[in-house]
Amino acid sequence: MDNKNLEPLRHSAAHLFAAAIKNIFPEAKLAIGPAIEDGFYYDVDYGELKISENDFSKIEQKMHELVKKWGEFEKKEITADEAKKHFKDNPYKLELIEEFSKKGEKLTIYRSGEFEDLCRGGHIDNPKEALKHFKLLSVAGAYWRGSEKNKMLTRVYGTIFPTKSELENHLKVLEEAKKRDHRKLGRDLDLFVFSDLVGKGLPLLTPKGTTLKRVLERFIVDEELKREYLHVSTPPIAKVDLYRTSGHYPYYKETMYPPMIVDEEELILRPMTCPHHFALFKSRPRSYHEMPVRFAEISPQFRYEKSGELTGLIRVRTFLLSDAHIITPKEKAKEEIIKVLDLIAYVNHAFGLKKGTDYRYRLSLGDRSDSKKYYKDDKMWDYAENILREVLKNQDVPFYEAENEAAFYGPKIDVQMKNVNGKEDTAFTVQYDFVMPKRFELKFINKEGVDEEPVVVHRASLGAFERTMAFLIEHFGGAFPLWLAPVQVVILPISDKFQDFALKIKETLLKSGIRCEIDLDSKTLGAKIRHSTLQKVPYMVIIGEKEVEANKCAVRTREGKDLGQLSINELISKLKEKIENFS
Amino acid sequence: MDNKNLEPLRHSAAHLFAAAIKNIFPEAKLAIGPAIEDGFYYDVDYGELKISENDFSKIEQKMHELVKKWGEFEKKEITADEAKKHFKDNPYKLELIEEFSKKGEKLTIYRSGEFEDLCRGGHIDNPKEALKHFKLLSVAGAYWRGSEKNKMLTRVYGTIFPTKSELENHLKVLEEAKKRDHRKLGRDLDLFVFSDLVGKGLPLLTPKGTTLKRVLERFIVDEELKREYLHVSTPPIAKVDLYRTSGHYPYYKETMYPPMIVDEEELILRPMTCPHHFALFKSRPRSYHEMPVRFAEISPQFRYEKSGELTGLIRVRTFLLSDAHIITPKEKAKEEIIKVLDLIAYVNHAFGLKKGTDYRYRLSLGDRSDSKKYYKDDKMWDYAENILREVLKNQDVPFYEAENEAAFYGPKIDVQMKNVNGKEDTAFTVQYDFVMPKRFELKFINKEGVDEEPVVVHRASLGAFERTMAFLIEHFGGAFPLWLAPVQVVILPISDKFQDFALKIKETLLKSGIRCEIDLDSKTLGAKIRHSTLQKVPYMVIIGEKEVEANKCAVRTREGKDLGQLSINELISKLKEKIENFS
């Protein structure tokens, strides 16, 4: 059963929740309670009361008790005046009533058992039988209507499924996701922190988090250089005019930082890199000889995100994008897009992600009838969409199409990635752009010696570093493969006596480019192993009497597997081989 | 003779220049004409006239002609009213007169030959004999009194020396510096550009410039990691409050960008990294075990520079600093500072710069009597200055001391670097800071289990990348040593026939990590060699019939030295050895 069919069930469960709340806390003022993707929530003004997870079992019990008497939902149409009278003590419902009636909407009240709520309908037919397998999940603050100017209400999230096993499965997934939550693991594994002093949504990567970032950065830069990308370095601020030229400023103004007046110029933090790369392209004439020009950059970008929308490393106010713009003659665009998908497949392969299982392609199309949202040029849209479709048809996995998901300057291919919740997010995109070349008057001199307009392929190979790191932390549950692990080996001398030998091993590993640490604490070996296991260090090298005598290392994996004694050279070649194979 | 003694000579030459101007262009309105470090200038309002370098010989001739009749400068004191009458047609002098007389200053006029100017004095005694070895150098626009709100005047720069040979030497140095000017070489070697679209003072590094930056970045990061720095990654923006806590905001407000209101927070582009590293340090308790903590970062920073002060890559509005903050127990500070100087010496060695010749150390002290500029704590200043002095005494080269050059939070060691003009600039600094630990309440738990306040050593190892790149471009005149060269080898097939072999050589070199290009143009070999020599590519590999037959490469340096035929493996090991030795 997909989520759409669950909506009436979840909506009905929200009613039941509200009924229980009014029964237990008669003073509570209900605000709104919709079905959402994974369940439902209800925002309530509890007045002076503090609701916490400790109250959940009591509320759930009451829900089970009340539902026994619930027959079918009864619909009643009422006038605005009647509604206002009915909800006279509830300022939230009164505000909604006012709004609906202004829009000329009909008002309806739905009743089941003794509980009535202002509601547009959409319930299940058999509450008594259906509203059984639910669970309240969490509590959070939420501003009335999402605005910080309004009162903070209390939101309780819950979920419900048609069967017990579906509910249990879902709770298991949630439990697993909680353990893998990158915010929790980020703290436990000391990868990143936030600081009230620095500001919201501005992560500070610790040494270990920075190592992960550096490994990713060098990996993608080196790979792109091999594939004849030209890495460039452009400033993170620019004149607002640059984004007026690109057309981003009116479109994306809401998500951009406010402009700063600096001397006689109006500067702004960049929300994307494309106009910078176009400016570089235009800095001298270009000949067909050097086309396509593939400008890539590990590019710091800035988005104005509301504080309520910030989430760990996933929604942040500044991030680093593995960005590129391929400026190509039109006839080579298809070939270039194929190459980009190949690069993305390579990156995903390095992360151990399988095409078709872990990710799939989506062809995101425009809407010919919406010339406000999409640049109007039907022929170009047809042409570009066909090219992308052809490319996808020749991939070895199925893809799907989505209407009204394109960029304003052209259609795109989205790489849809499954996260630990089993949900799909867009991880990377490949966009076909026939608008920016016109806006920036991009040209190259073709074989005939004539100016020709190129097209631009916008793409991200590794996405935003912060988001990708969050994804990888959750995907691996913090147990990174060797090549990504911030610390690859930890050396555990059994006692002080073996410290010198252990330090020599460390030196040798460091010189071979292996990231390693040594644990010189006076803890027992058992405690050291436990600690390193919790820190998810892939390999532990244990040094005791036998190892010093044999001039070898006793090697053990974080999974507890004993690899026996290895010479230092054997260990290094074993590790290097694994690193090269991204394992 | 040092520049101070040249001042009367140069000031007098400015008078002579002005006399010639009034003689040739009677309508010209003189503004001001001081002596400066390397000569003199005079700002003049020429009205409708356009003065260019083409006018210089005529003006110089007139100067030589007029000076023949110049006796000693005659001083005349006049009242403000007399002065206003005298300069009634010159709004610039009138403005100055008004100002001087408001301050109660006495007004004086100096006359030599037929020329009189408002002047405070300070001339040579024998103009006729002394004003001989001069030269006009360049012309530029300059706002009256440096403010963009005022009229743009025309500034002519000139220089003068006591002897002909001194003048000629100076002109030779200028000529050489002009050839090495990083702005010119940046264009010629395609290293960086500026774009009107993007904004002033915001350089865009091309692929080659970015390669240079990447080589420098990986070099310094890897070296710092070896030296147990912890590289971290903190956001380029933060709450203004962070800089209020550090005390930077009032001190450096003028050089900071304006704050941006984002949601409920007041954010600002960071002018330095230290407070970010302190926030990270404070994110969890620290024990003496892990001290000193050496946080390093390749850190984007932002400075509000007036457009008139922007200069190529040297003065920019955003830059990347190789920054670090060593948070150390006080008793280890000295040891840490010695280690920093060792790192800086290593970096300079890699650049081929010699201690004592190319750079020297300056101990920059505070001023105990200026408690507005310097944090007041005489004992701490004494202590810190002594530590730095002791460190410098134990270096193997002499150092010098400079009063009133410290940071507000403590004394520092400046690494003073000679540039191509022979002038000294501060390239890197090592600062001892006993103030920030208090402001940020930095602490660690010492061996006794008690909170202890550390000190902070601020340092830059490689400086600001942009400035360092500018320095290196000028220092090497664009002919970078192999390890830094954006393109290390260019492969020149003599004709199309040898293209396949040449491409194979390229592949092999690329796989070995050698940065190489291939010139497949249909030019003659001579033309290809000329082009690569102009582009200052260290090695050229020429592929013709003989090379294909022998399966070898004919290798030639950019200096024109023929290294004969080498096998590809011989070539690679030769290059790798050179790269490892920074040559």
Side-chain angles (χ1 to χ4, degrees):
Chain A
M1 193 185 274
D2 73 21
N3 286 332
K4 200 145 190 170
N5 293 332
L6 288 174
E7 216 178 293
L9 180 70
R10 288 170 170 172
H11 176 180
S12 305
H15 274 260
L16 181 58
F17 169 82
I21 291 300
K22 286 300 283 182
N23 190 292
I24 306 175
F25 313 106
E27 297 304 311
K29 291 186 185 5
L30 303 173
I32 51 161
I36 53 172
E37 201 181 349
D38 268 341
F40 61 88
Y41 69 76
Y42 217 115
D43 288 348
V44 177
D45 179 354
Y46 291 92
E48 298 298 300
L49 285 171
K50 284 246 179 293
I51 297 296
S52 78
E53 299 196 5
N54 295 331
D55 300 299
F56 285 0
S57 77
K58 184 171 61 184
I59 303 170
E60 284 167 356
Q61 227 174 316
K62 182 59 74 183
M63 288 166 73
H64 284 297
E65 183 192 317
L66 292 177
V67 80
K68 287 181 191 151
K69 294 180 195 156
W70 277 28
E72 213 170 315
F73 281 87
E74 289 163 32
K75 174 179 172 180
K76 192 165 71 182
E77 282 194 21
I78 56 173
T79 65
D81 284 343
E82 285 167 340
K84 280 182 194 162
K85 215 164 132 192
H86 192 280
F87 292 102
K88 66 178 187 303
D89 296 328
N90 186 321
Y92 309 104
K93 301 286 181 191
L94 286 175
E95 191 176 320
L96 295 175
I97 292 162
E98 189 65 32
E99 233 177 71
F100 295 154
S101 63
K102 255 190 199 156
K103 283 189 208 155
E105 289 179 33
K106 273 190 184 151
L107 296 171
T108 48
I109 279 184
Y110 280 82
R111 177 195 194 91
S112 202
E114 287 170 22
F115 179 72
E116 287 184 338
D117 205 352
L118 187 72
C119 172
R120 283 183 174 122
H123 304 97
I124 42 155
D125 302 331
N126 50 344
K128 206 185 304 183
E129 290 78 33
L131 300 181
K132 269 187 182 152
H133 309 294
F134 54 79
K135 180 106 186 100
L136 300 182
L137 296 172
S138 61
V139 57
Y143 292 109
W144 166 237
R145 318 210 83 176
S147 163
E148 287 132 57
K149 287 171 197 147
N150 295 333
K151 191 166 179 187
M152 172 81 85
L153 306 175
T154 303
R155 174 173 298 177
V156 170
Y157 287 96
T159 193
I160 182 166
F161 282 87
T163 63
K164 193 174 169 201
S165 69
E166 279 169 290
L167 174 65
E168 279 171 356
N169 273 341
H170 181 72
L171 295 178
K172 234 182 258 165
V173 169
L174 286 187
E175 193 58 33
E176 186 56 24
K178 214 174 190 174
K179 269 193 256 163
R180 287 168 173 257
D181 188 315
H182 77 281
R183 290 166 297 185
K184 181 182 180 302
L185 285 172
R187 226 173 17 247
D188 294 351
L189 303 179
D190 196 17
L191 296 170
F192 64 91
V193 298
F194 288 91
S195 155
D196 286 342
L197 268 168
V198 172
K200 288 179 190 154
L202 300 170
L204 293 86
L205 303 186
T206 63
K208 280 186 190 153
T210 304
T211 300
L212 177 57
K213 181 189 138 195
R214 183 171 55 252
V215 171
L216 290 172
E217 181 172 334
R218 292 193 181 182
F219 160 68
I220 196 63
V221 170
D222 289 345
E223 187 59 33
E224 288 177 352
L225 289 173
K226 265 190 219 154
R227 292 172 187 246
E228 304 195 74
Y229 281 85
L230 301 169
H231 266 268
V232 299
S233 193
T234 62
I237 47 177
K239 293 200 292 193
V240 176
D241 273 345
L242 183 67
Y243 307 103
R244 290 203 182 98
T245 303
S246 69
H248 283 113
Y249 194 58
Y251 273 99
Y252 288 97
K253 202 177 160 187
E254 291 300 304
T255 62
M256 287 171 78
Y257 280 69
M260 296 167 286
I261 307 295
V262 171
D263 222 14
E264 75 291 0
E265 295 197 319
E266 197 190 6
L267 298 176
I268 196 161
L269 288 169
R270 76 166 155 206
M272 50 257 311
T273 325
C274 28
H276 298 243
H277 288 179
F278 301 153
L280 191 56
F281 183 84
K282 281 169 70 84
S283 69
R284 61 174 174 81
R286 303 281 171 177
S287 137
Y288 69 95
H289 280 299
E290 54 182 318
M291 302 290 287
V293 167
R294 304 181 193 91
F295 282 147
E297 182 166 3
I298 306 299
S299 160
Q301 303 191 355
F302 301 83
R303 298 269 167 91
Y304 187 123
E305 300 275 1
K306 291 207 170 151
S307 63
E309 284 164 6
L310 297 167
T311 318
L313 293 182
I314 292 174
R315 288 286 279 275
V316 285
R317 284 180 171 165
T318 171
F319 58 92
L320 215 54
L321 191 68
S322 169
D323 211 352
H325 300 91
I326 301 165
I327 306 174
T328 173
K330 196 170 162 188
E331 77 270 15
K332 285 196 181 168
K334 188 174 163 186
E335 192 184 325
E336 288 301 315
I337 292 165
I338 293 169
K339 282 185 191 166
V340 169
L341 290 188
D342 186 67
L343 171 61
I344 290 176
Y346 181 79
V347 170
N348 283 334
H349 159 73
F351 293 153
L353 301 170
K354 283 185 194 56
K355 214 192 277 185
T357 319
D358 294 306
Y359 67 97
R360 55 180 184 152
Y361 300 117
R362 176 174 84 178
L363 174 57
S364 292
L365 307 168
D367 175 353
R368 297 287 184 288
S369 65
D370 189 345
S371 64
K372 217 173 140 187
K373 190 164 169 194
Y374 301 107
Y375 185 86
K376 188 70 186 165
D377 186 339
D378 289 1
K379 255 175 78 181
M380 279 309 298
W381 279 95
D382 286 340
Y383 180 87
E385 290 182 0
N386 268 330
I387 283 198
L388 297 186
R389 195 174 284 118
E390 272 171 41
V391 168
L392 288 177
K393 275 185 182 159
N394 282 315
Q395 292 284 315
D396 47 2
V397 289
F399 68 98
Y400 69 108
E401 304 199 357
E403 298 285 338
N404 205 6
E405 289 281 354
F408 75 86
Y409 43 66
K412 62 191 171 94
I413 294 171
D414 292 315
V415 179
Q416 300 295 102
M417 189 73 73
K418 250 189 213 151
N419 68 19
V420 281
N421 299 309
K423 269 185 222 145
E424 260 187 8
D425 271 328
T426 299
F428 321 116
T429 65
V430 187
Q431 309 174 337
Y432 187 107
D433 173 4
F434 47 82
V435 178
M436 291 298 157
K438 281 184 226 308
R439 295 219 167 151
F440 280 90
E441 297 176 343
L442 304 182
K443 300 190 200 33
F444 65 97
I445 301 159
N446 66 17
K447 275 188 188 151
E448 285 71 43
V450 177
D451 276 353
E452 188 176 316
E453 188 181 280
V455 302
V456 171
V457 177
H458 306 238
R459 50 107 278 200
S461 56
L462 198 135
F465 275 70
E466 288 76 3
R467 261 176 82 120
T468 298
M469 282 169 68
F471 172 83
L472 292 173
I473 293 169
E474 300 194 345
H475 180 76
F476 293 115
F480 297 109
L482 185 64
W483 77 283
L484 290 176
V487 179
Q488 296 174 312
V489 173
V490 63
I491 300 164
L492 310 177
I494 294 182
S495 88
D496 285 1
K497 277 194 292 180
F498 315 116
Q499 198 165 305
D500 288 350
F501 185 77
L503 282 167
K504 239 170 52 196
I505 300 281
K506 183 188 163 197
E507 276 311 301
T508 314
L509 288 173
L510 282 178
K511 265 198 196 131
S512 311
I514 304 294
R515 298 184 290 275
C516 78
E517 283 185 355
I518 190 164
D519 187 345
L520 294 178
D521 207 290
S522 51
K523 295 190 291 274
T524 64
L525 179 63
K528 287 184 183 184
I529 291 177
R530 250 190 321 280
H531 177 74
S532 297
T533 306
L534 282 174
Q535 284 295 304
K536 312 204 181 190
V537 180
Y539 291 92
M540 295 167 222
V541 165
I542 295 156
I543 303 294
E545 188 106 39
K546 272 190 285 179
E547 285 71 29
V548 175
E549 266 169 26
N551 193 24
K552 293 203 165 184
C553 316
V555 184
R556 181 192 158 98
T557 71
R558 69 186 150 203
E559 293 81 17
K561 203 171 142 194
D562 186 352
L563 301 185
Q565 279 192 349
L566 298 178
S567 79
I568 179 77
N569 286 335
E570 283 167 343
L571 175 61
I572 290 173
S573 29
K574 187 183 170 61
L575 295 174
K576 290 226 158 182
E577 197 197 319
K578 278 191 162 281
I579 290 168
E580 266 170 37
N581 294 322
F582 303 121
S583 57
Chain B
M1 191 185 273
D2 74 19
N3 286 332
K4 199 141 194 174
N5 292 333
L6 287 174
E7 216 177 293
L9 180 70
R10 290 172 168 171
H11 176 180
S12 306
H15 274 260
L16 181 57
F17 170 82
I21 291 299
K22 285 301 284 180
N23 190 292
I24 307 174
F25 313 106
E27 298 304 311
K29 292 186 183 6
L30 303 172
I32 52 163
I36 54 172
E37 200 181 347
D38 268 339
F40 61 88
Y41 68 76
Y42 216 115
D43 287 348
V44 177
D45 179 353
Y46 291 93
E48 297 298 299
L49 284 171
K50 283 248 178 295
I51 297 297
S52 78
E53 299 195 5
N54 296 331
D55 300 299
F56 284 1
S57 78
K58 184 171 61 185
I59 302 169
E60 284 167 357
Q61 229 174 314
K62 181 59 75 184
M63 288 166 73
H64 284 296
E65 184 192 316
L66 291 176
V67 81
K68 286 181 191 149
K69 295 181 192 152
W70 277 28
E72 213 171 316
F73 282 87
E74 289 163 30
K75 175 179 174 180
K76 193 165 71 183
E77 283 194 19
I78 56 173
T79 66
D81 283 344
E82 285 167 339
K84 280 182 194 163
K85 218 164 129 191
H86 191 281
F87 292 101
K88 67 177 188 304
D89 296 329
N90 185 323
Y92 308 106
K93 301 286 181 192
L94 286 175
E95 192 177 321
L96 295 175
I97 291 162
E98 189 64 32
E99 235 178 69
F100 295 156
S101 63
K102 256 190 197 155
K103 284 189 207 154
E105 290 180 32
K106 274 190 184 153
L107 295 171
T108 50
I109 279 185
Y110 280 82
R111 176 194 194 93
S112 201
E114 290 170 19
F115 179 72
E116 287 185 338
D117 204 353
L118 187 72
C119 172
R120 283 182 174 125
H123 302 96
I124 43 154
D125 301 331
N126 52 343
K128 208 185 304 184
E129 289 78 32
L131 299 180
K132 268 187 184 155
H133 308 294
F134 54 79
K135 180 104 185 103
L136 301 182
L137 296 171
S138 61
V139 57
Y143 292 107
W144 166 238
R145 319 210 82 175
S147 164
E148 287 132 57
K149 286 171 198 147
N150 295 333
K151 192 166 178 186
M152 172 81 86
L153 307 175
T154 302
R155 174 173 298 177
V156 170
Y157 287 97
T159 194
I160 183 164
F161 282 87
T163 65
K164 193 175 170 200
S165 68
E166 278 170 290
L167 175 65
E168 279 171 356
N169 273 341
H170 181 73
L171 294 178
K172 232 180 261 166
V173 169
L174 286 186
E175 192 58 34
E176 187 55 25
K178 215 174 189 174
K179 268 193 257 164
R180 287 167 174 259
D181 188 315
H182 77 281
R183 291 166 297 185
K184 181 183 179 303
L185 285 172
R187 224 172 17 246
D188 295 351
L189 303 179
D190 196 18
L191 296 171
F192 63 91
V193 298
F194 288 91
S195 156
D196 285 342
L197 268 168
V198 173
K200 288 179 190 155
L202 300 170
L204 292 86
L205 303 186
T206 63
K208 281 184 190 154
T210 304
T211 301
L212 177 57
K213 181 189 137 195
R214 183 172 54 251
V215 171
L216 290 172
E217 181 173 335
R218 291 192 182 183
F219 159 69
I220 196 64
V221 170
D222 289 345
E223 187 59 34
E224 288 177 352
L225 289 173
K226 264 189 221 155
R227 292 171 186 248
E228 303 194 77
Y229 280 85
L230 300 170
H231 266 268
V232 298
S233 193
T234 63
I237 46 177
K239 292 199 293 193
V240 177
D241 274 346
L242 184 66
Y243 307 105
R244 292 204 181 97
T245 304
S246 68
H248 284 112
Y249 194 59
Y251 273 99
Y252 288 97
K253 201 177 160 188
E254 292 300 304
T255 62
M256 288 171 78
Y257 281 68
M260 296 168 285
I261 307 295
V262 170
D263 222 14
E264 75 291 1
E265 296 196 319
E266 198 189 5
L267 297 177
I268 196 161
L269 288 169
R270 75 165 155 206
M272 51 257 309
T273 325
C274 28
H276 298 242
H277 288 178
F278 301 153
L280 192 55
F281 184 84
K282 281 169 71 85
S283 69
R284 60 175 175 82
R286 303 280 171 177
S287 136
Y288 70 94
H289 279 300
E290 53 182 320
M291 302 289 286
V293 167
R294 305 181 193 91
F295 282 146
E297 183 165 3
I298 306 299
S299 159
Q301 302 191 357
F302 300 83
R303 298 268 165 91
Y304 187 122
E305 300 276 0
K306 289 205 171 155
S307 63
E309 285 163 6
L310 297 167
T311 317
L313 292 183
I314 292 174
R315 287 285 278 274
V316 285
R317 284 181 171 165
T318 171
F319 57 92
L320 215 54
L321 191 69
S322 169
D323 211 353
H325 299 90
I326 301 165
I327 307 174
T328 174
K330 195 171 163 188
E331 77 270 15
K332 284 195 182 170
K334 188 174 164 188
E335 191 185 326
E336 287 301 314
I337 291 166
I338 292 170
K339 281 186 191 168
V340 169
L341 290 188
D342 186 67
L343 171 61
I344 290 177
Y346 180 79
V347 170
N348 283 335
H349 159 72
F351 293 153
L353 302 170
K354 283 183 193 56
K355 215 191 279 186
T357 320
D358 294 308
Y359 68 97
R360 56 180 184 152
Y361 299 117
R362 176 174 85 178
L363 174 57
S364 291
L365 307 168
D367 175 354
R368 298 285 185 287
S369 66
D370 189 346
S371 65
K372 219 175 140 186
K373 191 165 168 193
Y374 300 108
Y375 184 86
K376 188 72 186 165
D377 187 339
D378 289 2
K379 253 175 79 180
M380 279 310 298
W381 278 96
D382 286 340
Y383 179 86
E385 290 182 0
N386 269 331
I387 282 198
L388 297 186
R389 194 175 286 116
E390 272 171 41
V391 168
L392 287 177
K393 276 185 182 158
N394 282 314
Q395 292 285 314
D396 46 2
V397 289
F399 68 97
Y400 69 108
E401 304 200 357
E403 298 285 338
N404 205 7
E405 289 280 353
F408 74 87
Y409 43 67
K412 62 192 170 95
I413 294 171
D414 292 316
V415 179
Q416 300 294 102
M417 189 74 72
K418 250 189 212 151
N419 68 19
V420 281
N421 298 308
K423 270 184 218 142
E424 261 186 8
D425 271 328
T426 300
F428 321 116
T429 65
V430 187
Q431 309 174 338
Y432 187 106
D433 173 4
F434 47 82
V435 178
M436 291 299 157
K438 281 184 225 308
R439 294 219 167 153
F440 280 90
E441 298 176 342
L442 303 183
K443 301 191 198 36
F444 66 98
I445 299 159
N446 66 16
K447 274 187 191 155
E448 286 71 44
V450 177
D451 276 352
E452 187 176 317
E453 188 180 279
V455 302
V456 171
V457 177
H458 305 238
R459 51 108 276 201
S461 56
L462 198 135
F465 275 71
E466 288 76 3
R467 260 177 83 121
T468 299
M469 282 170 67
F471 172 83
L472 292 173
I473 292 169
E474 300 194 346
H475 180 76
F476 294 114
F480 297 108
L482 185 65
W483 78 283
L484 289 176
V487 179
Q488 297 174 312
V489 173
V490 64
I491 301 165
L492 311 177
I494 294 182
S495 87
D496 285 1
K497 276 194 293 183
F498 314 117
Q499 198 164 305
D500 287 350
F501 186 77
L503 282 166
K504 241 169 53 197
I505 299 281
K506 183 188 163 196
E507 276 310 302
T508 314
L509 287 173
L510 282 177
K511 265 197 196 131
S512 310
I514 305 294
R515 297 184 291 273
C516 79
E517 283 186 355
I518 189 164
D519 187 344
L520 294 178
D521 207 290
S522 51
K523 296 191 290 274
T524 64
L525 179 63
K528 285 184 183 185
I529 290 178
R530 252 191 318 281
H531 177 75
S532 297
T533 306
L534 283 174
Q535 285 295 303
K536 312 205 180 187
V537 180
Y539 291 92
M540 293 167 223
V541 165
I542 296 155
I543 304 294
E545 188 105 40
K546 274 189 286 179
E547 285 70 30
V548 175
E549 265 168 27
N551 193 23
K552 292 202 164 183
C553 315
V555 184
R556 181 192 158 98
T557 71
R558 69 186 150 203
E559 294 80 17
K561 202 169 141 195
D562 186 352
L563 302 184
Q565 279 193 347
L566 298 178
S567 78
I568 179 77
N569 285 336
E570 284 167 343
L571 175 61
I572 289 174
S573 30
K574 187 183 169 62
L575 297 173
K576 290 225 158 182
E577 197 197 319
K578 277 192 162 280
I579 290 169
E580 266 169 37
N581 294 323
F582 303 121
S583 59

